[in-house]
Structure formats: C-alpha cells, structure tokens
Amino acid sequence: MARAPFELAGTRVATGSRTQIDVPVARLYTHAPLYIPVEVVHGRQSGPVMLVCGGIHGDEINGVEIVRRLLRSKQLQGLRGTLIASPIVNVFGFVQHSRYLPDRRDLNRCFPGSESGSLGGRVAALFREQIVDHATHIIDLHTGAIHRTNLPQIRAQLTPGGETERMANAFGAPVILNAELREGSLRHYAQNRGIPVLTYEAGEALRFDQWAITPGVRGVLRVMRRLGMLTGEHRRRQVPAAEVANGSSWARAPIDGILRPQVRLGARVAEGELLGLVADPFGNAEGEVRSVADGIVIGMSRLPLANEGEALFHIARFDAIEEAESAIEDFHSSLEPPPDALY
C-alpha cells in the first residue's frame, strides 16, 4: 500500500518528495507578511517524524546553517519517515538580530502559547499547532546568549533506557547535561506530551562557529540513523563518547570591571582554581574569579566588560571528570579542521 501524503499547514507533500512551505505567522507594521519557513522531506517508507528547528531565539544563527547543510545532505536520499526542517522560528528576532520578539518576550518561555494571548503566546501557539504537534521526535538548535559561547553540548531530561537518552548518546556531543525542564520552553511542552526532544547548544549568538556547526550536522544525522530514518552505516567517523554532567554552576564576577580570562572553553578546572581576573581600567581594584566546583568549562563570557554578580564561567560537574576531559579531547581531535577559536 502506498504511503499517504504528509500534510502541514494546509499543504500536502507527496510521498518521496520534498516541499518548502511558508507558514503565515504575522504582519509587520507595513502590512508586509511574515512567514516561518519550513521544508518537509517525506520519505517513501514509514518511520518517525523528526522536527529539526533553529532560531527560536532570533540571534542564535548557528542552527540556521545546521538546517541548511542538513537539507543538502545526500544521506537524506532514501529517507524513512519524514523530516520537518524549520531553520528560523522567531522570524521577528532574526530580522532584528535579537533574541526576543518585538514585545521583548522570550519565545522559548511562551509554550504552549495561546491564540488570544501576547505576541509570544500567539507565535508559540501557531508553531505548536502547525508544526510541533506533527513531530514524534525533536532536535532544537541553540547557541549561547549574546556575548557568551557554549561548548557543544546536549541538554535533555534523561530517563535511563528512554528514547531521549538513546538520542542524546547517538548525537555525539562531548557533554550531555541532564537538565531539568524549564516551564514555557519547547522542550518542556514536547517532553510533557511524550515527544523525546534534545536541545543542542553550541557556539555564540550572531555568528557562525564552524566548530559548532559541523558537529551539529553530524549529530542530527547520527540521531536520524539511530532512529532508522537513514539507511546504511556511516563508518568514516566513530561517534565520540559523551559524558553526562550531574549538575552545573556559574562562577560570577566579584566586582565591576574588565575581565581577563585565564582558562579556555572546555578546560578541566578544580574547585577554587583561578578562572579569570576582573579589574577596573586603572588596575587599582582587582578581583579573582574562582571555580565553584571541580568540572569542565562548558560556557563562558566573550565580553570583557563585567558587572558585579554577572555570570562569567559555566562549570559542569561530573562523577567521572577524567572521562569527561577525555571525551572533550576526543571530540576536538575528531573535528576537521581542528578548532581554532574555542575561547
């Protein structure tokens, strides 16, 4: 029996074909329409429906490039199931180079949304109804916030032996952060509906970080292969081992001033170790930023200017820190070419 067409936002996608769909979301003040761009690849054989989305935060653009490269991959030939690729969800923020919507709301705190609510609630409701609710599995692509960079990592709520854990292990990021769900996030909404979802965090807002994009594309393809959506084995690169962090903490600025980092992203640090120095422009006052735990630096500020109390270094804690350090080293060595801007 022939597989039925896939329908999304009123558009039918024939079996064995791919279609780009513009989902109407709102209008600008000028009356010009805005759309959430989506491409659907509908395989000839049945299988999972994978949603890969980027740009829920409009300034986090690494995900846009990950989706573009994913859609150009020859591995999608012979796809089993259906791929829904949405490179830019928050089109308002993307156009304005902003994390937020025009009403200053964070779209990733607006789910499940409301058709009669705020702008954020309405966009969340539209994206949920027209796109998210079709998915059986989700990979949500993010970067660090503005002026912060993240080591490639997966954030997910893990259940031993569950589908989310299986996806996280398949992705191949060096670090998996077993993170609690945040109310209003896409991950919170999807997970509560029984849809396994990964959040991939890597790089910095408003820039393309090749050392974050390339592993992102590979990771999505690995997950699709693990789910049986792609045929054959991809043996050119062994999947890097990942270590699960059992928690994380931020080291903060002790005073107002200018930061001079003393460690790199991905570095192993000990509790109390010096991470950076914050000083006033004259050097009259200087404060030390020290690690709050033994762990790995998985995120850090890229802006030298710091206010007292500002989060500067994100430290992930591991039960087996030597294995975590080894996983990160293996991840770095697997990149082609090696990363040259990890800090």
Side-chain angles (χ1 to χ4, degrees):
M1 180 181 294
R3 191 179 182 206
F6 186 84
E7 186 167 336
L8 186 142
T11 299
R12 292 168 65 87
V13 182
T15 302
S17 69
R18 55 198 300 167
T19 302
Q20 293 182 0
I21 304 169
D22 291 328
V23 181
V25 61
R27 290 183 179 272
L28 297 175
Y29 305 122
T30 60
H31 199 63
L34 280 181
Y35 303 92
I36 296 177
V38 181
E39 183 163 335
V40 175
V41 185
H42 190 42
R44 295 187 180 278
Q45 300 183 53
S46 61
V49 180
M50 169 73 79
L51 168 62
V52 180
C53 59
I56 283 183
H57 294 134
D59 60 353
E60 298 182 3
I61 65 174
N62 276 337
V64 181
E65 178 64 6
I66 290 172
V67 171
R68 186 192 71 82
R69 295 189 191 182
L70 172 66
L71 289 170
R72 291 173 61 87
S73 173
K74 294 180 180 179
Q75 296 184 55
L76 295 184
Q77 298 174 4
L79 174 74
R80 293 190 178 107
T82 305
L83 171 65
I84 306 172
S86 182
I88 308 164
V89 179
N90 180 2
V91 289
F92 285 102
F94 186 77
V95 169
Q96 296 295 325
H97 305 173
S98 171
R99 176 184 181 89
Y100 303 106
L101 291 157
D103 61 1
R104 296 299 297 168
R105 280 182 168 84
D106 183 338
L107 180 57
N108 209 30
R109 297 295 179 269
C110 293
F111 288 92
S114 168
E115 294 179 357
S116 60
S118 65
L119 175 62
R122 293 175 190 229
V123 174
L126 175 87
F127 185 63
R128 168 179 57 82
E129 293 171 358
Q130 298 290 336
I131 300 171
V132 174
D133 287 348
H134 291 279
T136 62
H137 300 74
I138 298 174
I139 299 178
D140 185 19
L141 306 170
H142 286 263
T143 75
I146 190 73
H147 303 313
R148 288 182 183 170
T149 186
N150 282 336
L151 184 78
Q153 60 198 261
I154 288 294
R155 297 184 185 180
Q157 186 179 57
L158 302 179
T159 301
E163 186 79 334
T164 302
E165 183 181 63
R166 192 163 71 107
M167 292 169 62
N169 288 331
F171 195 98
V175 172
I176 300 172
L177 189 58
N178 192 1
E180 293 297 320
L181 301 174
R182 289 195 176 186
E183 189 171 355
S185 67
L186 172 62
R187 191 162 65 91
H188 181 271
Y189 169 75
Q191 202 80 40
N192 285 341
R193 280 180 54 87
I195 303 172
V197 54
L198 303 181
T199 297
Y200 175 62
E201 291 268 0
E204 184 181 352
L206 291 178
R207 64 182 297 167
F208 279 173
D209 299 292
Q210 297 303 327
W211 53 267
I213 292 169
T214 299
V217 178
R218 294 176 187 168
V220 173
L221 291 170
R222 288 188 187 114
V223 173
M224 294 177 70
R225 190 171 297 105
R226 178 66 64 88
L227 296 176
M229 299 180 71
L230 302 178
T231 58
E233 293 291 332
H234 195 53
R235 301 181 182 276
R236 287 190 302 167
R237 299 182 183 90
Q238 185 177 359
V239 178
E243 291 297 321
V244 177
N246 54 31
S248 66
S249 305
W250 282 93
R252 300 180 179 274
I255 62 173
D256 305 305
I258 299 171
L259 171 67
R260 305 195 310 277
Q262 303 297 300
V263 295
R264 296 185 176 190
L265 192 66
R268 175 181 174 178
V269 296
E271 183 176 359
E273 182 176 337
L274 181 66
L275 304 179
L277 298 167
V278 180
D280 67 49
F282 298 103
N284 296 324
E286 186 171 80
E288 297 178 339
V289 186
R290 293 194 174 272
S291 179
V292 294
D294 296 340
I296 301 289
V297 180
I298 62 168
M300 60 186 293
S301 174
R302 291 289 296 263
L303 185 67
L305 312 180
N307 294 113
E308 183 177 350
E310 187 171 345
L312 300 179
F313 299 91
H314 193 193
I315 311 299
R317 302 186 298 274
F318 299 86
D319 291 329
I321 191 168
E322 290 82 6
E323 285 80 355
E325 183 180 30
S326 176
I328 291 170
E329 290 175 355
D330 291 344
F331 172 81
H332 288 171
S333 64
S334 73
L335 294 177
E336 298 176 4
D340 59 0
L342 288 179
Y343 55 93

mmCIF file with all atom_site columns, all heavy atoms in Angstrom, residues 32-55:
data_model
loop_
_atom_site.group_PDB
_atom_site.id
_atom_site.type_symbol
_atom_site.label_atom_id
_atom_site.label_alt_id
_atom_site.label_comp_id
_atom_site.label_asym_id
_atom_site.label_entity_id
_atom_site.label_seq_id
_atom_site.pdbx_PDB_ins_code
_atom_site.Cartn_x
_atom_site.Cartn_y
_atom_site.Cartn_z
_atom_site.occupancy
_atom_site.B_iso_or_equiv
_atom_site.pdbx_formal_charge
_atom_site.auth_seq_id
_atom_site.auth_comp_id
_atom_site.auth_asym_id
_atom_site.auth_atom_id
_atom_site.pdbx_PDB_model_num
ATOM 1   N N   . ALA A 1 32 ? 3.387  44.133 5.456  1.00 0.00 ? 32 ALA A N   1
ATOM 2   C CA  . ALA A 1 32 ? 4.119  43.058 4.787  1.00 0.00 ? 32 ALA A CA  1
ATOM 3   C C   . ALA A 1 32 ? 4.015  41.778 5.611  1.00 0.00 ? 32 ALA A C   1
ATOM 4   O O   . ALA A 1 32 ? 4.209  41.802 6.838  1.00 0.00 ? 32 ALA A O   1
ATOM 5   C CB  . ALA A 1 32 ? 5.584  43.444 4.608  1.00 0.00 ? 32 ALA A CB  1
ATOM 6   N N   . PRO A 1 33 ? 3.715  40.642 4.988  1.00 0.00 ? 33 PRO A N   1
ATOM 7   C CA  . PRO A 1 33 ? 3.540  39.397 5.737  1.00 0.00 ? 33 PRO A CA  1
ATOM 8   C C   . PRO A 1 33 ? 4.871  38.785 6.164  1.00 0.00 ? 33 PRO A C   1
ATOM 9   O O   . PRO A 1 33 ? 5.895  38.952 5.508  1.00 0.00 ? 33 PRO A O   1
ATOM 10  C CB  . PRO A 1 33 ? 2.822  38.491 4.735  1.00 0.00 ? 33 PRO A CB  1
ATOM 11  C CG  . PRO A 1 33 ? 3.241  39.007 3.396  1.00 0.00 ? 33 PRO A CG  1
ATOM 12  C CD  . PRO A 1 33 ? 3.420  40.492 3.556  1.00 0.00 ? 33 PRO A CD  1
ATOM 13  N N   . LEU A 1 34 ? 4.842  38.075 7.284  1.00 0.00 ? 34 LEU A N   1
ATOM 14  C CA  . LEU A 1 34 ? 5.983  37.302 7.761  1.00 0.00 ? 34 LEU A CA  1
ATOM 15  C C   . LEU A 1 34 ? 5.582  35.830 7.797  1.00 0.00 ? 34 LEU A C   1
ATOM 16  O O   . LEU A 1 34 ? 4.441  35.493 8.120  1.00 0.00 ? 34 LEU A O   1
ATOM 17  C CB  . LEU A 1 34 ? 6.396  37.738 9.169  1.00 0.00 ? 34 LEU A CB  1
ATOM 18  C CG  . LEU A 1 34 ? 7.235  39.002 9.310  1.00 0.00 ? 34 LEU A CG  1
ATOM 19  C CD1 . LEU A 1 34 ? 7.560  39.233 10.784 1.00 0.00 ? 34 LEU A CD1 1
ATOM 20  C CD2 . LEU A 1 34 ? 8.521  38.904 8.508  1.00 0.00 ? 34 LEU A CD2 1
ATOM 21  N N   . TYR A 1 35 ? 6.558  34.967 7.489  1.00 0.00 ? 35 TYR A N   1
ATOM 22  C CA  . TYR A 1 35 ? 6.302  33.531 7.448  1.00 0.00 ? 35 TYR A CA  1
ATOM 23  C C   . TYR A 1 35 ? 7.394  32.791 8.224  1.00 0.00 ? 35 TYR A C   1
ATOM 24  O O   . TYR A 1 35 ? 8.551  33.218 8.264  1.00 0.00 ? 35 TYR A O   1
ATOM 25  C CB  . TYR A 1 35 ? 6.318  33.010 6.006  1.00 0.00 ? 35 TYR A CB  1
ATOM 26  C CG  . TYR A 1 35 ? 5.340  33.684 5.082  1.00 0.00 ? 35 TYR A CG  1
ATOM 27  C CD1 . TYR A 1 35 ? 5.725  34.790 4.324  1.00 0.00 ? 35 TYR A CD1 1
ATOM 28  C CD2 . TYR A 1 35 ? 4.034  33.215 4.962  1.00 0.00 ? 35 TYR A CD2 1
ATOM 29  C CE1 . TYR A 1 35 ? 4.831  35.412 3.465  1.00 0.00 ? 35 TYR A CE1 1
ATOM 30  C CE2 . TYR A 1 35 ? 3.128  33.821 4.115  1.00 0.00 ? 35 TYR A CE2 1
ATOM 31  C CZ  . TYR A 1 35 ? 3.531  34.924 3.362  1.00 0.00 ? 35 TYR A CZ  1
ATOM 32  O OH  . TYR A 1 35 ? 2.642  35.539 2.520  1.00 0.00 ? 35 TYR A OH  1
ATOM 33  N N   . ILE A 1 36 ? 7.017  31.681 8.834  1.00 0.00 ? 36 ILE A N   1
ATOM 34  C CA  . ILE A 1 36 ? 8.002  30.735 9.359  1.00 0.00 ? 36 ILE A CA  1
ATOM 35  C C   . ILE A 1 36 ? 8.336  29.772 8.217  1.00 0.00 ? 36 ILE A C   1
ATOM 36  O O   . ILE A 1 36 ? 7.462  29.049 7.733  1.00 0.00 ? 36 ILE A O   1
ATOM 37  C CB  . ILE A 1 36 ? 7.456  29.949 10.560 1.00 0.00 ? 36 ILE A CB  1
ATOM 38  C CG1 . ILE A 1 36 ? 7.177  30.890 11.729 1.00 0.00 ? 36 ILE A CG1 1
ATOM 39  C CG2 . ILE A 1 36 ? 8.449  28.858 10.980 1.00 0.00 ? 36 ILE A CG2 1
ATOM 40  C CD1 . ILE A 1 36 ? 6.553  30.201 12.934 1.00 0.00 ? 36 ILE A CD1 1
ATOM 41  N N   . PRO A 1 37 ? 9.589  29.763 7.750  1.00 0.00 ? 37 PRO A N   1
ATOM 42  C CA  . PRO A 1 37 ? 9.952  28.881 6.628  1.00 0.00 ? 37 PRO A CA  1
ATOM 43  C C   . PRO A 1 37 ? 10.149 27.438 7.100  1.00 0.00 ? 37 PRO A C   1
ATOM 44  O O   . PRO A 1 37 ? 10.785 27.193 8.121  1.00 0.00 ? 37 PRO A O   1
ATOM 45  C CB  . PRO A 1 37 ? 11.256 29.489 6.119  1.00 0.00 ? 37 PRO A CB  1
ATOM 46  C CG  . PRO A 1 37 ? 11.862 30.139 7.329  1.00 0.00 ? 37 PRO A CG  1
ATOM 47  C CD  . PRO A 1 37 ? 10.719 30.599 8.191  1.00 0.00 ? 37 PRO A CD  1
ATOM 48  N N   . VAL A 1 38 ? 9.608  26.520 6.340  1.00 0.00 ? 38 VAL A N   1
ATOM 49  C CA  . VAL A 1 38 ? 9.693  25.103 6.676  1.00 0.00 ? 38 VAL A CA  1
ATOM 50  C C   . VAL A 1 38 ? 9.941  24.311 5.395  1.00 0.00 ? 38 VAL A C   1
ATOM 51  O O   . VAL A 1 38 ? 9.407  24.657 4.331  1.00 0.00 ? 38 VAL A O   1
ATOM 52  C CB  . VAL A 1 38 ? 8.387  24.592 7.329  1.00 0.00 ? 38 VAL A CB  1
ATOM 53  C CG1 . VAL A 1 38 ? 8.500  23.115 7.690  1.00 0.00 ? 38 VAL A CG1 1
ATOM 54  C CG2 . VAL A 1 38 ? 8.043  25.408 8.565  1.00 0.00 ? 38 VAL A CG2 1
ATOM 55  N N   . GLU A 1 39 ? 10.768 23.278 5.485  1.00 0.00 ? 39 GLU A N   1
ATOM 56  C CA  . GLU A 1 39 ? 10.883 22.322 4.395  1.00 0.00 ? 39 GLU A CA  1
ATOM 57  C C   . GLU A 1 39 ? 10.550 20.936 4.930  1.00 0.00 ? 39 GLU A C   1
ATOM 58  O O   . GLU A 1 39 ? 11.052 20.531 5.985  1.00 0.00 ? 39 GLU A O   1
ATOM 59  C CB  . GLU A 1 39 ? 12.266 22.319 3.749  1.00 0.00 ? 39 GLU A CB  1
ATOM 60  C CG  . GLU A 1 39 ? 12.361 21.371 2.565  1.00 0.00 ? 39 GLU A CG  1
ATOM 61  C CD  . GLU A 1 39 ? 13.555 21.629 1.656  1.00 0.00 ? 39 GLU A CD  1
ATOM 62  O OE1 . GLU A 1 39 ? 14.050 22.762 1.620  1.00 0.00 ? 39 GLU A OE1 1
ATOM 63  O OE2 . GLU A 1 39 ? 13.981 20.672 0.980  1.00 0.00 ? 39 GLU A OE2 1
ATOM 64  N N   . VAL A 1 40 ? 9.696  20.226 4.201  1.00 0.00 ? 40 VAL A N   1
ATOM 65  C CA  . VAL A 1 40 ? 9.296  18.874 4.575  1.00 0.00 ? 40 VAL A CA  1
ATOM 66  C C   . VAL A 1 40 ? 9.877  17.901 3.564  1.00 0.00 ? 40 VAL A C   1
ATOM 67  O O   . VAL A 1 40 ? 9.706  18.070 2.352  1.00 0.00 ? 40 VAL A O   1
ATOM 68  C CB  . VAL A 1 40 ? 7.759  18.734 4.616  1.00 0.00 ? 40 VAL A CB  1
ATOM 69  C CG1 . VAL A 1 40 ? 7.369  17.280 4.884  1.00 0.00 ? 40 VAL A CG1 1
ATOM 70  C CG2 . VAL A 1 40 ? 7.168  19.652 5.677  1.00 0.00 ? 40 VAL A CG2 1
ATOM 71  N N   . VAL A 1 41 ? 10.594 16.897 4.062  1.00 0.00 ? 41 VAL A N   1
ATOM 72  C CA  . VAL A 1 41 ? 11.085 15.791 3.234  1.00 0.00 ? 41 VAL A CA  1
ATOM 73  C C   . VAL A 1 41 ? 10.304 14.561 3.662  1.00 0.00 ? 41 VAL A C   1
ATOM 74  O O   . VAL A 1 41 ? 10.438 14.083 4.797  1.00 0.00 ? 41 VAL A O   1
ATOM 75  C CB  . VAL A 1 41 ? 12.595 15.570 3.414  1.00 0.00 ? 41 VAL A CB  1
ATOM 76  C CG1 . VAL A 1 41 ? 13.099 14.504 2.453  1.00 0.00 ? 41 VAL A CG1 1
ATOM 77  C CG2 . VAL A 1 41 ? 13.368 16.876 3.220  1.00 0.00 ? 41 VAL A CG2 1
ATOM 78  N N   . HIS A 1 42 ? 9.471  14.053 2.754  1.00 0.00 ? 42 HIS A N   1
ATOM 79  C CA  . HIS A 1 42 ? 8.548  12.962 3.080  1.00 0.00 ? 42 HIS A CA  1
ATOM 80  C C   . HIS A 1 42 ? 9.001  11.691 2.378  1.00 0.00 ? 42 HIS A C   1
ATOM 81  O O   . HIS A 1 42 ? 8.917  11.565 1.146  1.00 0.00 ? 42 HIS A O   1
ATOM 82  C CB  . HIS A 1 42 ? 7.137  13.342 2.638  1.00 0.00 ? 42 HIS A CB  1
ATOM 83  C CG  . HIS A 1 42 ? 6.064  12.416 3.120  1.00 0.00 ? 42 HIS A CG  1
ATOM 84  N ND1 . HIS A 1 42 ? 6.040  11.902 4.397  1.00 0.00 ? 42 HIS A ND1 1
ATOM 85  C CD2 . HIS A 1 42 ? 4.963  11.909 2.484  1.00 0.00 ? 42 HIS A CD2 1
ATOM 86  C CE1 . HIS A 1 42 ? 4.980  11.137 4.543  1.00 0.00 ? 42 HIS A CE1 1
ATOM 87  N NE2 . HIS A 1 42 ? 4.313  11.103 3.394  1.00 0.00 ? 42 HIS A NE2 1
ATOM 88  N N   . GLY A 1 43 ? 9.545  10.761 3.155  1.00 0.00 ? 43 GLY A N   1
ATOM 89  C CA  . GLY A 1 43 ? 10.105 9.542  2.583  1.00 0.00 ? 43 GLY A CA  1
ATOM 90  C C   . GLY A 1 43 ? 9.059  8.595  2.039  1.00 0.00 ? 43 GLY A C   1
ATOM 91  O O   . GLY A 1 43 ? 7.870  8.677  2.371  1.00 0.00 ? 43 GLY A O   1
ATOM 92  N N   . ARG A 1 44 ? 9.521  7.650  1.226  1.00 0.00 ? 44 ARG A N   1
ATOM 93  C CA  . ARG A 1 44 ? 8.613  6.662  0.629  1.00 0.00 ? 44 ARG A CA  1
ATOM 94  C C   . ARG A 1 44 ? 8.210  5.585  1.624  1.00 0.00 ? 44 ARG A C   1
ATOM 95  O O   . ARG A 1 44 ? 7.164  4.948  1.457  1.00 0.00 ? 44 ARG A O   1
ATOM 96  C CB  . ARG A 1 44 ? 9.280  6.019  -0.592 1.00 0.00 ? 44 ARG A CB  1
ATOM 97  C CG  . ARG A 1 44 ? 9.531  6.991  -1.738 1.00 0.00 ? 44 ARG A CG  1
ATOM 98  C CD  . ARG A 1 44 ? 10.027 6.277  -2.981 1.00 0.00 ? 44 ARG A CD  1
ATOM 99  N NE  . ARG A 1 44 ? 10.264 7.226  -4.068 1.00 0.00 ? 44 ARG A NE  1
ATOM 100 C CZ  . ARG A 1 44 ? 9.311  7.703  -4.867 1.00 0.00 ? 44 ARG A CZ  1
ATOM 101 N NH1 . ARG A 1 44 ? 8.058  7.293  -4.695 1.00 0.00 ? 44 ARG A NH1 1
ATOM 102 N NH2 . ARG A 1 44 ? 9.610  8.560  -5.821 1.00 0.00 ? 44 ARG A NH2 1
ATOM 103 N N   . GLN A 1 45 ? 9.018  5.386  2.643  1.00 0.00 ? 45 GLN A N   1
ATOM 104 C CA  . GLN A 1 45 ? 8.712  4.372  3.637  1.00 0.00 ? 45 GLN A CA  1
ATOM 105 C C   . GLN A 1 45 ? 8.350  5.039  4.959  1.00 0.00 ? 45 GLN A C   1
ATOM 106 O O   . GLN A 1 45 ? 8.809  6.137  5.268  1.00 0.00 ? 45 GLN A O   1
ATOM 107 C CB  . GLN A 1 45 ? 9.903  3.433  3.836  1.00 0.00 ? 45 GLN A CB  1
ATOM 108 C CG  . GLN A 1 45 ? 10.315 2.685  2.576  1.00 0.00 ? 45 GLN A CG  1
ATOM 109 C CD  . GLN A 1 45 ? 11.454 1.728  2.851  1.00 0.00 ? 45 GLN A CD  1
ATOM 110 O OE1 . GLN A 1 45 ? 11.375 0.903  3.755  1.00 0.00 ? 45 GLN A OE1 1
ATOM 111 N NE2 . GLN A 1 45 ? 12.521 1.830  2.058  1.00 0.00 ? 45 GLN A NE2 1
ATOM 112 N N   . SER A 1 46 ? 7.530  4.371  5.758  1.00 0.00 ? 46 SER A N   1
ATOM 113 C CA  . SER A 1 46 ? 7.086  4.935  7.025  1.00 0.00 ? 46 SER A CA  1
ATOM 114 C C   . SER A 1 46 ? 8.240  4.968  8.030  1.00 0.00 ? 46 SER A C   1
ATOM 115 O O   . SER A 1 46 ? 9.213  4.225  7.918  1.00 0.00 ? 46 SER A O   1
ATOM 116 C CB  . SER A 1 46 ? 5.924  4.119  7.587  1.00 0.00 ? 46 SER A CB  1
ATOM 117 O OG  . SER A 1 46 ? 6.323  2.783  7.815  1.00 0.00 ? 46 SER A OG  1
ATOM 118 N N   . GLY A 1 47 ? 8.098  5.838  9.013  1.00 0.00 ? 47 GLY A N   1
ATOM 119 C CA  . GLY A 1 47 ? 9.113  5.991  10.039 1.00 0.00 ? 47 GLY A CA  1
ATOM 120 C C   . GLY A 1 47 ? 8.787  7.183  10.912 1.00 0.00 ? 47 GLY A C   1
ATOM 121 O O   . GLY A 1 47 ? 7.702  7.774  10.815 1.00 0.00 ? 47 GLY A O   1
ATOM 122 N N   . PRO A 1 48 ? 9.712  7.576  11.781 1.00 0.00 ? 48 PRO A N   1
ATOM 123 C CA  . PRO A 1 48 ? 9.475  8.716  12.666 1.00 0.00 ? 48 PRO A CA  1
ATOM 124 C C   . PRO A 1 48 ? 9.294  10.017 11.886 1.00 0.00 ? 48 PRO A C   1
ATOM 125 O O   . PRO A 1 48 ? 9.702  10.133 10.729 1.00 0.00 ? 48 PRO A O   1
ATOM 126 C CB  . PRO A 1 48 ? 10.750 8.765  13.518 1.00 0.00 ? 48 PRO A CB  1
ATOM 127 C CG  . PRO A 1 48 ? 11.335 7.395  13.428 1.00 0.00 ? 48 PRO A CG  1
ATOM 128 C CD  . PRO A 1 48 ? 10.993 6.901  12.063 1.00 0.00 ? 48 PRO A CD  1
ATOM 129 N N   . VAL A 1 49 ? 8.693  10.986 12.559 1.00 0.00 ? 49 VAL A N   1
ATOM 130 C CA  . VAL A 1 49 ? 8.591  12.355 12.040 1.00 0.00 ? 49 VAL A CA  1
ATOM 131 C C   . VAL A 1 49 ? 9.510  13.221 12.889 1.00 0.00 ? 49 VAL A C   1
ATOM 132 O O   . VAL A 1 49 ? 9.208  13.515 14.052 1.00 0.00 ? 49 VAL A O   1
ATOM 133 C CB  . VAL A 1 49 ? 7.142  12.877 12.083 1.00 0.00 ? 49 VAL A CB  1
ATOM 134 C CG1 . VAL A 1 49 ? 7.086  14.304 11.546 1.00 0.00 ? 49 VAL A CG1 1
ATOM 135 C CG2 . VAL A 1 49 ? 6.212  11.968 11.305 1.00 0.00 ? 49 VAL A CG2 1
ATOM 136 N N   . MET A 1 50 ? 10.663 13.589 12.332 1.00 0.00 ? 50 MET A N   1
ATOM 137 C CA  . MET A 1 50 ? 11.681 14.347 13.062 1.00 0.00 ? 50 MET A CA  1
ATOM 138 C C   . MET A 1 50 ? 11.559 15.832 12.740 1.00 0.00 ? 50 MET A C   1
ATOM 139 O O   . MET A 1 50 ? 11.626 16.237 11.576 1.00 0.00 ? 50 MET A O   1
ATOM 140 C CB  . MET A 1 50 ? 13.077 13.853 12.676 1.00 0.00 ? 50 MET A CB  1
ATOM 141 C CG  . MET A 1 50 ? 14.220 14.724 13.163 1.00 0.00 ? 50 MET A CG  1
ATOM 142 S SD  . MET A 1 50 ? 14.498 14.591 14.927 1.00 0.00 ? 50 MET A SD  1
ATOM 143 C CE  . MET A 1 50 ? 15.396 13.027 14.962 1.00 0.00 ? 50 MET A CE  1
ATOM 144 N N   . LEU A 1 51 ? 11.369 16.655 13.779 1.00 0.00 ? 51 LEU A N   1
ATOM 145 C CA  . LEU A 1 51 ? 11.422 18.105 13.637 1.00 0.00 ? 51 LEU A CA  1
ATOM 146 C C   . LEU A 1 51 ? 12.803 18.581 14.062 1.00 0.00 ? 51 LEU A C   1
ATOM 147 O O   . LEU A 1 51 ? 13.251 18.292 15.177 1.00 0.00 ? 51 LEU A O   1
ATOM 148 C CB  . LEU A 1 51 ? 10.359 18.777 14.501 1.00 0.00 ? 51 LEU A CB  1
ATOM 149 C CG  . LEU A 1 51 ? 10.483 20.300 14.672 1.00 0.00 ? 51 LEU A CG  1
ATOM 150 C CD1 . LEU A 1 51 ? 10.359 21.025 13.331 1.00 0.00 ? 51 LEU A CD1 1
ATOM 151 C CD2 . LEU A 1 51 ? 9.449  20.823 15.675 1.00 0.00 ? 51 LEU A CD2 1
ATOM 152 N N   . VAL A 1 52 ? 13.494 19.294 13.173 1.00 0.00 ? 52 VAL A N   1
ATOM 153 C CA  . VAL A 1 52 ? 14.759 19.954 13.497 1.00 0.00 ? 52 VAL A CA  1
ATOM 154 C C   . VAL A 1 52 ? 14.529 21.441 13.309 1.00 0.00 ? 52 VAL A C   1
ATOM 155 O O   . VAL A 1 52 ? 14.209 21.893 12.204 1.00 0.00 ? 52 VAL A O   1
ATOM 156 C CB  . VAL A 1 52 ? 15.905 19.462 12.590 1.00 0.00 ? 52 VAL A CB  1
ATOM 157 C CG1 . VAL A 1 52 ? 17.204 20.162 12.966 1.00 0.00 ? 52 VAL A CG1 1
ATOM 158 C CG2 . VAL A 1 52 ? 16.062 17.948 12.693 1.00 0.00 ? 52 VAL A CG2 1
ATOM 159 N N   . CYS A 1 53 ? 14.661 22.210 14.382 1.00 0.00 ? 53 CYS A N   1
ATOM 160 C CA  . CYS A 1 53 ? 14.342 23.632 14.306 1.00 0.00 ? 53 CYS A CA  1
ATOM 161 C C   . CYS A 1 53 ? 15.451 24.485 14.902 1.00 0.00 ? 53 CYS A C   1
ATOM 162 O O   . CYS A 1 53 ? 16.142 24.085 15.840 1.00 0.00 ? 53 CYS A O   1
ATOM 163 C CB  . CYS A 1 53 ? 13.015 23.941 14.989 1.00 0.00 ? 53 CYS A CB  1
ATOM 164 S SG  . CYS A 1 53 ? 12.920 23.496 16.731 1.00 0.00 ? 53 CYS A SG  1
ATOM 165 N N   . GLY A 1 54 ? 15.632 25.665 14.346 1.00 0.00 ? 54 GLY A N   1
ATOM 166 C CA  . GLY A 1 54 ? 16.596 26.632 14.840 1.00 0.00 ? 54 GLY A CA  1
ATOM 167 C C   . GLY A 1 54 ? 15.948 27.993 14.959 1.00 0.00 ? 54 GLY A C   1
ATOM 168 O O   . GLY A 1 54 ? 14.829 28.224 14.501 1.00 0.00 ? 54 GLY A O   1
ATOM 169 N N   . GLY A 1 55 ? 16.652 28.911 15.583 1.00 0.00 ? 55 GLY A N   1
ATOM 170 C CA  . GLY A 1 55 ? 16.206 30.291 15.607 1.00 0.00 ? 55 GLY A CA  1
ATOM 171 C C   . GLY A 1 55 ? 14.992 30.553 16.467 1.00 0.00 ? 55 GLY A C   1
ATOM 172 O O   . GLY A 1 55 ? 14.289 31.542 16.238 1.00 0.00 ? 55 GLY A O   1
#
